Amino acid sequence: MDWIDFDRWPECRNLERPGIVFEVENADGQSLLTPCATPLELPFDWTSTPIRFRPVDEPKPRHSAPLPPPAS
C-alpha cells in the first residue's frame, strides 16, 4: 500500500483490520511497527517527527532458541 501523510494518522482507525499493523517512518528514515494508537507514543531515540505511515501485514511470531542449560 502507498504511504499516507502522517497528518492523517487519526484516520488509522478506519484502516484497522485483523492481521494489520502500521509502519510509521520519520524524517531520518527510522521506522516502527505499531497498532493504531492516538496519540502515537514514539521511541525515545527518535529525534525527528513521523512523516508518513502505511498499513502492513503483521509479522508472524517467531520461536526463540531454547535457553542454554545452567552452568555448573
Side-chain angles (χ1 to χ4, degrees), residues 33-62:
L33 294 178
T34 182
C36 180
T38 305
L40 178 63
E41 193 169 321
L42 298 176
F44 73 93
D45 60 343
W46 276 30
T47 56
S48 65
T49 58
I51 58 169
R52 60 188 188 167
F53 72 98
R54 65 181 173 184
V56 295
D57 291 332
E58 185 173 18
K60 302 293 182 222
R62 302 182 334 198

Side-chain angles (χ1 to χ4, degrees), residues 12-27:
C12 67
R13 293 274 180 230
N14 299 332
L15 301 171
E16 285 183 305
R17 304 281 184 275
I20 298 293
V21 293
F22 296 93
E23 181 180 10
V24 178
E25 188 176 77
N26 70 8

